[in-house]
Amino acid sequence: MALAAVKKKPYQAEQSTVYNILFIIGLCHLLNDSLQAVIPAMFPILEKSMGLTFTQLGIIAFTLNIVSSVMQPLVGLYSDKRPLPYALPIGLTSSMIGMLGLAFAPSFITILVCVFFIGLGSAVFHPEGSRVAYMAAGEKRGLAQSIYQVGGNSGQALAPLITAIILVPLGQFGAIWFTLVAACAVAFLFYIARWYSMKLNVQTIQKAKKAASNTSNVHKNAITMALIVIVFLIFARSWYVSAISNFYAFYVIENYNSTIAESQSYIFLFLLMGAVGTFFGGPLADRFGKRTVILFSLLATVPLSLLLPFVGSMVAYILLSLIGLILMSSFSVTVVYAQELIPGKIGTMSGLTVGLAFGMGAIGSVALGSLIDLFGLTPTMITIAFLPVLGALAFLLPSDERLKEWYE
């Protein structure tokens, strides 16, 4: 009996959830994404001070997101073969340099260069941060990924507050304060990197890769189809979120006669409730299934998004809250689903899904900015309201039970 207990301890330790690491990496995710949130938060400031067009603002968002989206899968692919614990603090150092330059950037081109460094730091952070969450998850993968991702969504939700409290009174130079935010993140990530280094088990990683390779050969077509569906789902969610977070403030100013500071309260509420939805999505997926949560999050958003362009200012607050809560409940769930679709490729799948979200958001920023310049705010907002309808494609995804059968 005693011997059995002794033998069981290593297994229990391996399966236990390391909450302190999850909360620290979630906090670092918050700090990292708050740096990124400064960029769209500066849009109303830059539009007035530099006379930038909506298309130029879209190009800035495109630069930030496309650098991150292109690099994330590459970082994840490389780190699946050779894990990079200390890439985490190095990545945030790149963001710190970009943020320092942004505070003094004199031109549109200089802003793009600074945004490139911030995007590069984010590209390094996200796949490795997701791997840390996976390693610390134990059996609670949905919850662990939610804790990690809710940090990022909370950081994004700070953008309106950053605008109202810091950038409106201080202008572009107010970005200087976020070099301190980046420095704090670097310090925390050195602690995470040390834990990460001790936790690595190369034999386990190689074994998982071999199992994933064997299964992928058997179910290759089904996996490819599932990945294509995931791409379309991420496209629908990312373009809608991009439209609200980057341009809805202008819609509020134009239609509700609000000030810049007042318009940011709508975006803050949308992103804040999105962070709440991200957190609860993981535990709900652990209980009801990842495919179910993904399907519900998009389809349940459809009637709300269709109503939003036609309501008054007060009802808009309510609808935006519900849309953010429901739509973003599948954000972390999509990442976990992709990781379990192809086990052994944790970094690659994280880089692909999160990076794809950034990339789709980047393309959406440019496309939506151009559409607004051509057709106006209101017609564009009405058009994007139909995007969540694509959530019906989630019916084509293999069920959670099917995924378990594949890898047993």
Side-chain angles (χ1 to χ4, degrees):
M1 183 69 70
L3 181 60
V6 171
K7 287 183 177 179
K8 195 173 181 179
K9 283 183 180 179
Y11 175 80
Q12 289 175 333
E14 183 181 3
Q15 296 299 318
S16 62
T17 304
V18 189
Y19 285 102
N20 66 317
I21 294 297
L22 288 176
F23 288 128
I24 293 173
I25 196 65
L27 174 61
C28 291
H29 200 179
L30 184 152
L31 297 175
N32 176 82
D33 282 26
S34 69
L35 299 179
Q36 291 182 263
V38 172
I39 309 305
M42 290 182 69
F43 281 1
I45 308 297
L46 296 175
E47 186 214 11
K48 288 192 173 182
S49 64
M50 291 188 176
L52 301 183
T53 65
F54 283 110
T55 300
Q56 287 176 309
L57 295 176
I59 291 173
I60 293 173
F62 175 83
T63 301
L64 174 68
N65 292 331
I66 203 66
V67 170
S68 179
S69 66
V70 170
M71 291 297 296
Q72 277 194 52
L74 298 179
V75 172
L77 184 63
Y78 182 85
S79 62
D80 279 332
K81 298 177 181 178
R82 297 180 180 179
L84 305 168
Y86 286 92
L88 287 164
I90 292 172
L92 262 292
T93 300
S94 172
S95 295
M96 183 168 61
I97 294 171
M99 193 57 61
L100 180 63
L102 188 63
F104 299 97
S107 66
F108 173 67
I109 297 299
T110 312
I111 288 174
L112 292 182
V113 174
C114 296
V115 165
F116 174 86
F117 279 99
I118 296 171
L120 182 62
S122 178
V124 174
F125 173 81
H126 279 98
E128 286 300 275
S130 184
R131 186 193 305 279
V132 169
Y134 188 93
M135 293 168 67
E139 296 181 342
K140 299 179 180 179
R141 292 179 184 173
L143 175 62
Q145 198 63 222
S146 285
I147 292 173
Y148 169 67
Q149 297 293 352
V150 77
N153 290 105
S154 299
Q156 294 169 17
L158 293 175
L161 295 182
I162 291 169
T163 302
I165 298 174
I166 299 176
L167 297 179
V168 168
L170 299 180
Q172 181 181 339
F173 182 73
I176 193 73
W177 289 101
F178 293 93
T179 58
L180 298 177
V181 173
C184 290
V186 170
F188 282 125
L189 287 172
F190 270 111
Y191 174 83
I192 290 289
R194 286 194 292 270
W195 177 87
Y196 184 172
S197 298
M198 292 186 292
K199 185 72 174 176
L200 283 177
N201 186 329
V202 176
Q203 292 181 346
T204 301
I205 294 173
Q206 291 176 341
K207 183 178 179 181
K209 287 180 183 178
K210 185 176 180 181
S213 177
N214 293 336
T215 307
S216 296
N217 291 332
V218 177
H219 303 288
K220 184 177 180 180
N221 292 336
I223 289 173
T224 300
M225 178 59 68
L227 286 176
I228 292 173
V229 170
I230 287 173
V231 167
F232 277 99
L233 297 177
I234 291 175
F235 158 76
R237 187 179 62 222
S238 298
W239 271 50
Y240 190 84
V241 171
S242 177
I244 299 298
S245 59
N246 289 326
F247 300 114
Y248 192 75
F250 297 104
Y251 178 86
V252 169
I253 293 170
E254 180 179 294
N255 288 273
Y256 302 147
N257 297 318
S258 300
T259 64
I260 292 178
E262 290 170 345
S263 69
Q264 296 303 307
S265 62
Y266 289 85
I267 314 303
F268 172 70
L269 191 61
F270 171 76
L271 296 175
L272 177 64
M273 295 306 292
V276 174
T278 298
F279 177 77
F280 285 106
L284 288 172
D286 286 338
R287 180 169 183 179
F288 299 107
K290 291 173 283 296
R291 178 176 175 270
T292 301
V293 172
I294 292 171
L295 183 63
F296 173 81
S297 72
L298 284 152
L299 292 187
T301 302
V302 173
L304 304 175
S305 65
L306 292 175
L307 280 174
L308 182 62
F310 304 102
V311 299
S313 58
M314 295 306 298
V315 178
Y317 276 116
I318 298 172
L319 291 181
L320 280 173
S321 299
L322 293 173
I323 291 171
L325 179 69
I326 298 170
L327 183 63
M328 295 305 293
S329 64
S330 64
F331 187 86
S332 61
V333 178
T334 305
V335 178
V336 177
Y337 185 92
Q339 290 173 341
E340 294 187 357
L341 184 66
I342 308 181
K345 297 289 184 180
I346 305 304
T348 304
M349 288 300 100
S350 173
L352 178 65
T353 51
V354 179
L356 189 61
F358 278 109
M360 290 295 184
I363 296 170
S365 298
V366 175
L368 291 167
S370 299
L371 287 174
I372 291 171
D373 284 334
L374 288 172
F375 302 109
L377 276 166
T378 300
T380 302
M381 289 298 166
I382 293 173
T383 301
I384 62 99
F386 289 91
L387 286 172
V389 174
L390 290 174
L393 292 172
F395 282 113
L396 301 176
L397 290 174
S399 66
D400 295 51
E401 292 74 17
R402 178 66 61 86
L403 292 182
K404 290 179 182 178
E405 291 175 1
W406 288 358
Y407 296 104
E408 283 180 352

